[in-house]
Amino acid sequence: MHGLVRADRADLVRLLAELTPEEWAAPTALPGWSVHDVAAHAIAYDELGWGGFVRRFGQAPLGLDRATDIGVHADRGLSREQVLERYPRHPGPRGLSTAFGGRLGLTEGLVHQQDIRRALGRPRELPADGLRVVFPFALWALVLPGRRLMKGLRLVPTDLDAHWGSRPAVTGPAEALLMATLGRDTLGELGGPGWATLAARLTGSG
């Protein structure tokens, strides 16, 4: 598991090192978050460690989302170089990223790299072995939205020999299905008889 996280982070570091200042400042699909914000957040809990996470969580009585907001706001004061310097210190998962055997770190890493890549039009093919680990975790982990968004639906990737859940099915590329499972609106890339149910949940109308 840790090897998958390391490989994903190495890929993200290569991408971040190539970006121009304009790309670092570009908005992402996460409301109010720039590429800089996502890049800093993707390694933030490793930098904090467990002790720092507990202290941060204590500052956020409304839960993990609020703790994340506090961290993102604080990290906006970091330069591009300071964000990049964090990654060599933590080539593998540490602290909160080690939770659930490293599955949380891998899931967060995969989706946040895609947040950046989608914002900048820099696609990549996600590793099949990583997807096979992440999908089941994303569908049951209480700290992630997939348990609610995909309840009663069957995820059927068109480019991966695997499926998860019960009918009706939502179909599409594995990457787009993963992003939807984690709350991103990739509805235009998906289909199937379960699409309308997922669309209502993602848009807040159901």
Side-chain angles (χ1 to χ4, degrees):
M1 188 70 63
H2 288 196
L4 293 172
V5 178
R6 284 174 173 267
D8 186 67
R9 287 189 180 173
D11 191 49
L12 177 56
V13 168
R14 286 190 291 269
L15 170 67
L16 294 176
E18 297 174 356
L19 302 185
T20 66
E22 292 76 19
E23 287 175 314
W24 273 79
T28 70
L30 297 174
W33 286 34
S34 67
V35 167
H36 177 287
D37 292 334
V38 178
H41 171 69
I43 198 74
Y45 285 121
D46 298 76
E47 190 80 355
L48 279 174
W50 279 111
F53 170 71
V54 171
R55 289 190 294 274
R56 173 72 56 75
F57 199 79
Q59 300 171 336
L62 297 181
L64 185 60
D65 287 345
R66 178 56 184 151
T68 296
D69 290 341
I70 290 172
V72 169
H73 185 268
D75 287 344
R76 284 178 178 153
L78 298 176
S79 68
R80 170 184 179 275
E81 289 71 24
Q82 288 172 315
V83 173
L84 285 172
E85 286 169 2
R86 286 180 164 183
Y87 283 87
R89 291 198 291 267
H90 309 292
R94 174 177 179 265
L96 185 63
S97 292
T98 65
F100 306 101
R103 288 173 177 81
L104 183 58
L106 180 60
T107 303
E108 286 279 292
L110 285 176
V111 74
H112 285 315
Q113 183 168 171
Q114 293 310 111
D115 287 328
I116 293 171
R117 287 182 175 278
R118 280 177 166 264
L120 301 177
R122 290 173 173 257
R124 69 163 176 162
E125 183 176 347
L126 295 185
D129 51 354
L131 288 169
R132 293 180 192 278
V133 170
V134 164
F135 266 112
F137 176 70
L139 290 171
W140 68 257
L142 292 175
V143 296
L144 299 174
R147 188 183 181 99
R148 171 183 58 84
L149 290 171
M150 297 302 182
K151 182 179 180 180
L153 299 176
R154 185 177 186 84
L155 278 63
V156 183
T158 55
D159 54 356
L160 185 68
D161 184 19
H163 53 77
W164 299 271
S166 58
R167 298 182 184 280
V170 180
T171 63
E175 186 266 353
L177 280 172
L178 178 64
M179 298 302 281
T181 300
L182 293 166
R184 278 61 168 177
D185 185 351
T186 56
L187 293 169
E189 301 166 56
L190 304 177
W195 183 92
T197 298
L198 175 59
R201 292 172 181 174
L202 277 174
T203 60
S205 58

